[in-house]
Every structure is written in C-alpha cells, then in structure tokens.
C-alpha cells in the first residue's frame, strides 16, 4: 500500500513539473487538433517532401554504397543520403499522423502512438545525424583545401559518426523506457500530441534538468537549448565558418599545377561548389529551427503550435529533399546511375531525359 502511494506521489510530482505534458497552459495541442486547414496543408506538404526525399536519397544510397567502405567521399555522401532518407520517412509518418488527426480529431486513440513514436525516433537521430554529417563533409573539404596532401582517415570518420549516432540512439532508448513506465497512468495521446508539433525533446535530458534545475530558468528553455541549439546550431556555426574558407578558396587565383589539366581543376571546383551548396542549405534550415528555442525562452505562454511545427520540422524535411536535388543536378555520374536504374521500369527514360553537363563526382 505504501509503495503504491509513493508511486502515485512520484507520478503526480513528475507530471506537475512537465516531464511529459507541457504545463504552460497555452492549449497548443488542442489548437493543433482543431486547425483543420493547417493540418490539411501540412499533410500535402509533408507528403510531397517525403516522396522527393525518400526516392532521390534511395537512388543516392545505391550509387554510393559500393565505395562507402573504401572512399571517404562516398561514405559521407552515403551517410548523408541515409540520414536524409530517414528524415523523409519521418515526413511520411507525419503525413499519416496528420491524416489520423484530420479523420479522428479529439477522439484519437492510443494507436496513434505507433505513428508518432517512430517519427520521434527518426527526429531524435536522423535530424542530428544529418547535421553532423553535413558539417563533417564541409570540414573535410576545408582540410583538403588547406592541406591538399593530407589524407583524412576514413576509419576515424566512421568511428566518430557511429559513436555520435549511438549516443542519440541510447538517449532515445531511455526516453522510450520512461515513456512506457508512465503509460500505465493514462494520458498517452495528450503527452504525444503536446510534443508532436515540435521536434521531439529528450525526456532523459528533461529529467536531468529537472533534478538539477537552475532557479529562474524555465525547464523547456533549457531543454530546447541543449537538445536543439547544441547539436544542430553548433554544427551550423562550424559549417558557416568552414564554408567561408571554401568561398575564399574559390575566389582566389588557382594555384594548381598546370600539369594537372583544366578538367581536373574544374572537377575540384565543381566538388567544392556542390559541398558549399549543401552546407549553405543546411545552415539556412538550421537557422530557422532557432525560432522554437527563442520562443520558448522569451515568452513560453504565447508560443504557437503552427509556428513551432513550421519552424521546427519543415526545415529538416526541406533540407532532406533539397540535398539530393543538389547532388543529382550537379553530378552527371549520379544522373546516369539513376537513369540506368529507371531503365529497368521505363525503357525510354534515357531517350527522353538526356544527361546534361560534364560535372563528375570527385573527392572533396
């Protein structure tokens, strides 16, 4: 009897400070459910972005898979495509969730968990992996520019990337354990929907923040800062710096040996421009995601579910769709590979869509 009372007391305390339910009193999740026009618009947008991201990134993974074990460029392209494809799957899960919200509204059951929780997993891991890989790509290219004869160790890059992914997977596993533990107390749908419109926060991080809470600093503010600014915006800041170095390299007179040939010089510049374009898109998308932490830290009572979703999720969905488009447009070998694959189903593809341009996929 005492154990039950203690458990109930702990649960009451945890929910009162907002472990899983947002206690700001803004009614964001309710407004999210009742805004039919927004839900329909997001269903269409997420569906289109998911189809582009999943399809093109799938083609890219098949192109780079063969060389990913031996060439660092292929490995980074492969990891970027995989993380962006997972982000596209996340967008597709959001499409299905919007369909459920539109169809069922306030009468939704706990079955929506099977859509939202996988999306939260992809949000927690794929978003941050894509950010990490993007900045790694830009960083390696900058090293190659400043030190042309320095060979970046592929094994080291693989290990660092694997550890980074494992870290966020571990945090998510603990989060799921905490969520399952409190499932028995009900309110599952409300807890999920209160966070669906905003990129998933780590419940573990929130728990640690709650335990060592700093006075006069909001729980959501600190959680957003650690979970969004640290892993995403920090990568964007580093990417911004190294991109500046790459732009300076493009503008300066070429010091490449004449024996290298003009074709080699053009290929190197094509590779640099491609990476710069990918990095700039990432920086812009990451910058938009700062709206959520800023809104939560400055005036949490006035935050809008629509604004939080548009600035929290859509930038990553857009980034996952634009990245493969850049690569396909810039690299002729990739276009040829896609056309070869499509010929299995569309015999007249190559005849109707010729591969234009002389750009090739080179090392960064």
């Amino acid at each position: 009897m005492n154990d039950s009372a203690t458990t109930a007391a702990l649960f009451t305390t945890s929910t009162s400070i907002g472990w899983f339910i947002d206690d700001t009193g803004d009614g964001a999740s309710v407004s999210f459910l009742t805004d039919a026009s927004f839900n329909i618009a997001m269903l269409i947008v997420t569906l289109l972005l998911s189809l582009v991201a999943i399809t093109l990134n799938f083609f890219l993974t098949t192109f780079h898979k063969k060389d990913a074990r031996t060439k660092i460029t292929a490995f980074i392209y492969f990891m970027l495509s995989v993380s962006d494809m997972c982000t596209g799957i996340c967008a597709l899960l959001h499409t299905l969730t919007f369909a459920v919200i539109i169809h069922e509204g306030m009468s939704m059951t706990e079955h929506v968990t099977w859509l939202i929780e996988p999306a939260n997993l992809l949000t927690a891991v794929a978003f941050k992996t894509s950010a990490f890989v993007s900045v790694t790509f830009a960083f390696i290219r900058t090293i190659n520019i400043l030190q042309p004869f320095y060979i970046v160790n592929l094994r080291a890059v693989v290990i660092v990337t694997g550890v980074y992914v494992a870290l966020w997977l571990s945090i998510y596993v603990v989060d799921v354990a905490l969520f399952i533990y409190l499932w028995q107390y009900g309110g599952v749908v409300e807890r999920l929907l209160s966070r669906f419109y905003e990129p998933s926060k780590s419940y573990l991080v929130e728990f640690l923040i709650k335990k060592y809470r700093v006075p006069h600093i909001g729980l959501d503010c600190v959680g957003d800062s650690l979970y969004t600014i640290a892993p995403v915006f920090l990568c964007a800041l580093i990417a911004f710096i190294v991109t500046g170095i790459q732009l300076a390299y493009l503008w300066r007179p070429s010091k490449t040996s004449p024996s290298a040939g003009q074709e080699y010089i053009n290929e190197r510049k094509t590779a640099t421009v491609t990476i710069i374009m990918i990095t700039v898109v990432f920086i812009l998308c990451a910058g938009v995601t700062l709206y959520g932490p800023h809104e939560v830290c400055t005036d949490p009572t006035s935050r809008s579910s629509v604004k939080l979703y548009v600035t929290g999720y859509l930038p990553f969905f857009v980034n996952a769709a634009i990245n493969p488009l850049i690569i396909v447009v810039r690299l002729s070998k990739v276009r040829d590979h896609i056309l070869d694959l499509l010929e299995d189903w569309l015999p007249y593809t190559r005849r109707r869509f010729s591969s234009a341009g002389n750009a090739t996929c080179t090392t960064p």
Side-chain angles (χ1 to χ4, degrees):
M1 184 69 177
N2 291 335
D3 291 340
S4 299
T6 301
T7 302
L10 288 173
F11 173 72
T12 302
T13 302
S14 68
T15 53
S16 66
I17 59 173
W19 271 22
F20 295 92
I21 303 177
D22 201 351
D23 61 351
T24 56
D26 59 354
S29 60
V30 176
S31 65
F32 188 75
L33 287 172
T34 56
D35 193 344
S37 59
F38 172 74
N39 292 331
I40 294 174
M42 288 301 99
L43 184 150
I44 297 173
V45 171
T46 54
L47 177 61
L48 293 176
L49 291 176
S50 67
L51 292 177
V52 173
I54 293 173
T55 303
L56 291 183
N57 282 298
F58 170 77
F59 286 135
L60 292 181
T61 56
T62 60
F63 178 78
H64 295 292
K65 181 179 179 180
K66 182 179 179 180
D67 296 328
R69 296 182 180 181
T70 57
K71 298 180 180 180
I72 192 168
T73 305
F75 171 76
I76 299 247
Y77 271 124
F78 178 78
M79 285 301 301
L80 182 63
S81 299
V82 169
S83 58
D84 284 343
M85 185 168 61
C86 289
T87 302
I89 296 174
C90 179
L92 183 60
L93 291 173
H94 277 233
T95 301
L96 299 176
T97 305
F98 278 117
V100 173
I101 291 174
I102 294 170
H103 182 262
E104 299 184 4
M106 297 297 292
S107 62
M108 276 186 297
T109 65
E110 294 180 358
H111 290 94
V112 75
T113 304
W114 299 106
L115 291 174
I116 296 180
E117 271 307 302
N120 285 343
L121 166 63
L122 295 174
T123 302
V125 180
F127 285 12
K128 295 171 181 60
T129 301
S130 180
F132 182 79
V133 172
S134 295
V135 71
T136 301
F137 209 172
F139 194 76
I140 291 176
R141 178 57 184 155
T142 304
I143 291 177
N144 291 151
I145 289 174
L146 299 178
Q147 300 290 336
F149 298 102
Y150 180 81
I151 300 176
V152 179
N153 190 288
L154 173 60
R155 184 179 180 183
V157 175
V158 173
I159 292 175
V160 171
T161 304
V163 170
Y164 187 83
V165 173
L167 170 65
W168 289 108
L169 277 174
S170 301
I171 292 177
Y172 179 78
V173 169
V174 176
D175 288 344
V176 171
L178 289 172
F179 182 79
I180 292 175
Y181 172 74
L182 292 182
W183 187 303
Q184 58 185 312
Y185 297 100
V188 174
V189 175
E190 290 77 7
R191 292 171 193 160
L192 288 172
L193 291 176
S194 66
R195 297 176 183 277
F196 172 71
Y197 58 86
E198 190 174 0
S200 63
K201 309 288 193 338
S202 168
Y203 299 151
L204 173 62
V205 171
E206 290 192 10
F207 169 73
L208 295 175
I209 293 172
K210 174 193 72 67
K211 186 175 182 180
Y212 303 103
R213 190 171 185 177
V214 179
H216 310 298
I217 297 181
L219 175 65
D220 284 345
C221 177
V222 179
D224 277 35
S225 299
L226 288 175
Y227 206 65
T228 300
I229 295 179
V232 176
F233 186 69
L234 183 59
C235 288
L237 180 61
I238 297 174
F240 178 80
I241 295 173
V242 297
T243 300
I245 297 175
Q246 294 179 43
L247 288 172
Y249 161 80
L250 284 178
W251 288 337
R252 73 179 184 179
S254 176
K255 296 182 180 181
T256 307
S257 172
S259 61
Q262 187 62 39
E263 183 179 354
Y264 173 81
I265 296 174
N266 291 338
E267 289 178 356
R268 301 290 293 182
K269 288 195 173 183
T270 296
T272 302
V273 171
T274 301
I275 297 171
I276 288 176
M277 292 173 68
I278 293 174
T279 308
V280 169
V281 170
F282 162 67
I283 293 172
L284 293 176
C285 292
V288 175
T289 62
L290 286 179
Y291 172 84
H294 175 267
E295 187 79 0
V296 170
C297 292
T298 55
D299 190 7
T301 60
S302 65
R303 63 199 215 188
S304 164
S305 59
V306 172
K307 292 181 181 179
L308 288 175
Y309 187 90
V310 170
T311 60
Y313 279 110
L314 285 190
F316 288 104
F317 295 159
V318 170
N319 191 25
I322 291 180
N323 280 345
L325 284 174
I326 293 175
I327 296 173
V328 169
V329 170
R330 295 285 302 172
L331 306 178
S332 61
K333 286 186 177 180
V334 173
R335 295 196 299 273
D336 291 338
H337 171 74
I338 294 175
L339 290 173
D340 288 339
L341 292 178
L342 291 177
E343 280 185 340
D344 293 337
W345 300 281
L346 304 173
Y348 300 102
T349 300
R350 187 174 296 277
R351 186 182 303 174
R352 297 179 61 185
F353 300 97
S354 59
S355 177
N358 297 317
T360 57
C361 184
T362 63
T363 55

